[in-house]
Amino acid sequence: MSDPADHLNQQVWDFVYAYDAAYDRAARAAGLSSAQACLLDHLESGSRTMGELAAELLCDASNVTQLVSRLEGGGLVDRVPDPADRRVKRVSITQAGRGARREVHRAFDFPTARLGRLTEQEQRRLSELLAKTLAPDPDRVPRG
Amino acid sequence: MSDPADHLNQQVWDFVYAYDAAYDRAARAAGLSSAQACLLDHLESGSRTMGELAAELLCDASNVTQLVSRLEGGGLVDRVPDPADRRVKRVSITQAGRGARREVHRAFDFPTARLGRLTEQEQRRLSELLAKTLAPDPDRVPRG
DNA sequence: TATTGTTATACTCTATAACTATA
DNA sequence: TATAGTTATAGAGTATAACAATA
């Protein structure tokens, strides 16, 4: 009974649950769904094609079409055909989109309210532990 | 540039993202949505009324009605009126529901594939850090 | 002919408001 | 009259399949 690994699993579940709920609340406070807020986040570093967005968001292209159409309707993104290949559409965030994104991040209290409880040293330690869990494909690291 | 807190925030985002994706894949592998799998999880420890489920899942009662109706249609839960107060419906998991839930948990590889990379000592350390972030309402702990 | 993106459609999640049955 | 749950309805996320435009 009361396996320590089960306890950790439950804590991780609770942590993820709290994180998701906080992000969703923050998005809604800015009038967005979390999927929309997430898409805007991906445009912060620069424009994307529809296909790139689908790959980054791990979803179908038809879904991206819908999300972008809604955001475009609200003036939060632009979608323009690439002059070099007119099949391709480049999506970029507008000023209004940046404003909405800032609003989400201002309302997203998880980092300060939760992670902020940790000391700097604890944050470094957490960062190391997370890095270990997230490292890609340790199975197939070449041995030679 | 490259604030360590920002780096931690990004890692937490990636961690949560990987967790959510893994749970969703596992649920789908068992023919369920993640909302359905989550509801089944809440019934493992015993039956619940519709209202209790709504409170635990942090969603509207009408949503629970729909989720339970689908699960009941698939034979994964039972819904019976409480004899003492016939307005109340008690929902419980069936044997088939337990089977589906086991299938989800077998397919849910995040704990072993990710958390399993940590040594026991690291897992204990992570557990302590998570406990600190999750502790309820430190603001209003009575001081007397 | 292959590729990019869109449209049509369908299913699920979720909420609000109006409703039924019971207390 | 108040409460537990359901129904009707609507908006959003998501996917599949068929399609249009372009290369």
Side-chain angles (χ1 to χ4, degrees), chain B residues 59-136:
Chain B
C59 73
D60 192 81
S62 64
N63 190 25
V64 176
T65 296
Q66 253 208 116
L67 289 170
V68 167
S69 297
R70 289 215 184 89
L71 289 168
E72 193 183 24
L76 304 184
V77 304
D78 273 342
R79 168 166 48 179
V80 303
D82 184 326
D85 180 346
R86 302 217 312 285
R87 293 173 304 179
V88 173
K89 308 290 173 60
R90 284 216 89 81
V91 184
S92 40
I93 192 168
T94 63
Q95 274 311 323
R98 279 198 186 67
R101 188 171 168 279
R102 260 197 306 276
E103 209 178 324
V104 175
H105 282 242
R106 231 183 299 116
F108 184 49
D109 59 355
F110 192 95
T112 44
R114 301 291 183 163
L115 302 178
R117 293 180 186 178
L118 304 178
T119 66
E120 277 195 21
Q121 192 188 345
E122 286 170 333
Q123 292 191 10
R124 275 196 301 278
R125 188 73 181 125
L126 177 58
S127 179
E128 287 164 18
L129 294 170
L130 292 181
K132 196 165 173 185
T133 67
L134 290 171

Side-chain angles (χ1 to χ4, degrees), chain A residues 6 10 16 19 21 35 42 45 51 74-75 78-79 93 98 106 108 113 118-119 124 127 136:
Chain A
D6 281 353
Q10 182 63 48
V16 168
Y19 190 95
H42 281 260
S45 60
D78 272 342
R79 167 167 48 179
I93 191 168
R98 281 202 185 76
R106 230 183 301 116
F108 185 47
L118 304 177
T119 66
R124 275 196 301 278
S127 181

Side-chain angles (χ1 to χ4, degrees), chain A residues 7 11 14-15 18 110 113-114 117, chain B residues 128-142:
Chain A
H7 182 234
Q11 286 179 305
D14 292 342
F15 182 85
F110 192 95
R114 301 291 183 161
R117 292 180 187 177
Chain B
E128 287 164 18
L129 294 170
L130 292 181
K132 196 165 173 185
T133 67
L134 290 171
D137 285 334
D139 303 341
R140 63 189 70 171
V141 168

Side-chain angles (χ1 to χ4, degrees), chain A residues 39-65:
Chain A
L39 194 154
L40 284 185
D41 267 342
H42 281 260
L43 295 178
E44 191 61 25
S45 60
S47 72
R48 295 284 190 284
T49 69
M50 302 296 283
E52 286 166 352
L53 283 172
E56 291 180 16
L57 302 174
L58 301 178
C59 72
D60 192 81
S62 64
N63 190 25
V64 175
T65 297

